[in-house]
Amino acid sequence: MTETVKTTYNQPNARGYFGEYGGKFVPEILIPVVQQLEEEYLKAIDDPEFLKQYHELLEEYVGRPTKLTFADKLTGHYGKAKIYLKREDLCHTGAHKINNAIGQILLAKRMGKTRIIAETGAGQHGVATATACAKFGLQCIVYMGAEDMERQKLNVDRMQLMGAEVRSVESGSRTLKDATNEAIRDWVTNPEDTFYIIGSVVGPHPYPMMVRNFHRVIGDEARKQILEKEGRLPDYLLACVGGGSNAMGLFYPFIEDDVKIIGIEAAGYGVDSGKTAATITKGSPGILHGSLSYLLHDQNGQIELAHSISAGLDYPGIGPEHSFLHDSKRVEYHSVTDDEAMEAVKLISKKEGIIPALETAHAFAWLEYMMSNTKEDEIIIVNLSGRGDKDMGTISENL
Ligand SMILES: *Cc1c(COP(=O)(O)O)cnc(C)c1O
């Protein structure tokens, strides 16, 4: 969006593929719909008026730019490289997801759509979408598995308070993948007036590219801020990866630089436990939610239920661009367990006075593995994707 850094490393091809991954695996009737979305999106980001409105909202409503905070106590704890935190926890609603929701809402408005649909697992994307819809006075319908609605009642209340209708999905495992099926069914039925807001760098082309571009403001800001503070680029970037949007947002403007980039998945009980969400580590290519990418499935192609202590990483897929960055070895992917993430929550809270989201804690947990190999004159930027208040129930149970 902000063209502070030009990058050509990995634009998807004309059919929406990053290397072998991506594409548009949607029902026939939606092919012209995603085609039109792509055309309208490309026009919008060439329109200075659209960009101005988007950046004004990020500034006045979301609270950007977010700070790049030097974590002096955490740095002292390890006694190695300097650790900086990109503070997406300071965004309105407490996480990065709002950057994308605002971008897509503006596009929906521009396209004359009157009805917004979304699906949500933990409810975080639902809340970001409901927030943006309230701000713009648009009808908002959020599909959510019945099981998830019970587990995440607070987020259901938040969405309803802001005027969204939360539709309970009773089919299948009554979780995210069933909610996604329902959202796609709705989209197929109402393609004229409905805009489907997808919450991560997943889904059919152009979503992975578009969502990344709405989040690249994270990396654009971080780049400028670290140059101001240190006069040079960092040596490492570190972020947690669910679908992969906060990570892509930070990584993208640095992709062509000499910076080591690391994405951390949720191993759950352990990558070989059968209760994991470590898609790249444990999965293989397949089709889910409209695109071809790494995913967790059995020999029969049946999608496996993912597990992670953090609801936002509890997803059996990953964005196609991450699959490409993995295969091309530009980005390193690793995973940490639920227990390691919990230890990281405790450490960051004590050392920095910041309670990180359980998702974010996965990125911090990797510091235990990497810090001893770093040097005192090196610099790390960790993407602090969200704050942990929403997770206090789970955190309390595990203390
Ligand atoms: C949703 C969420 C994530 C995971 O989503 P990505 O698309 O991988 O960024 C990470 N952190 C927080 C705080 C979240 O709410």
Side-chain angles (χ1 to χ4, degrees), residues 79-82 236 371-379:
K80 291 283 190 171
K82 289 172 93 166
Y236 298 91
M371 288 310 289
S372 61
N373 297 320
T374 67
K375 303 189 197 80
E376 277 173 51
D377 61 355
E378 289 186 317
I379 299 167

Side-chain angles (χ1 to χ4, degrees), residues 12-23:
N13 71 15
R15 292 182 305 123
Y17 282 82
F18 297 92
E20 295 165 51
Y21 305 102

Side-chain angles (χ1 to χ4, degrees), residues 61 92-94 98 101 123-142 154-166:
Y61 188 63
H92 176 45
T93 70
I98 189 85
Q124 293 302 109
H125 173 55
V127 169
T129 303
T131 304
C133 286
K135 180 72 180 157
F136 282 85
L138 287 172
Q139 184 190 0
C140 180
I141 296 158
V142 179
L154 199 57
N155 278 339
V156 174
D157 291 347
R158 282 197 181 111
M159 289 184 262
Q160 288 171 341
L161 191 60
M162 290 187 283
E165 178 192 341
V166 184

Side-chain angles (χ1 to χ4, degrees), residues 94-97 124 199-201 240-247 312-313 357 359-360 385-387 390:
H96 67 291
K97 286 193 174 72
Q124 293 302 109
S200 190
V201 287
C240 67
V241 178
S245 68
N246 85 88
L313 302 184
E359 292 84 0
T360 314
S385 58
R387 64 175 189 229
K390 69 178 177 65

Side-chain angles (χ1 to χ4, degrees), residues 276-291:
T276 183
T279 312
I280 291 249
T281 313
K282 201 63 196 168
S284 57
I287 294 166
L288 177 69
H289 299 169
S291 62

Side-chain angles (χ1 to χ4, degrees), residues 285-361:
I287 294 166
L288 177 69
H289 299 169
S291 62
L292 173 65
S293 194
Y294 276 82
L295 77 105
L296 295 169
H297 50 177
D298 63 22
Q299 303 96 310
N300 305 319
Q302 198 72 13
I303 308 300
E304 290 179 36
L305 271 187
H307 165 80
S308 167
I309 192 171
S310 77
L313 302 184
D314 192 350
Y315 177 69
I318 186 170
E321 191 168 1
H322 284 289
S323 293
F324 171 70
L325 291 170
H326 167 70
D327 282 11
S328 63
K329 299 197 162 57
R330 175 64 190 96
V331 176
E332 259 179 58
Y333 295 86
H334 301 283
S335 62
V336 300
T337 63
D338 289 353
D339 291 346
E340 290 171 322
M342 267 308 300
E343 286 307 309
V345 167
K346 290 187 226 166
L347 180 69
I348 307 310
S349 302
K350 281 236 171 63
K351 291 289 173 197
E352 292 296 328
I354 297 171
I355 301 173
L358 278 170
E359 292 84 0
T360 314

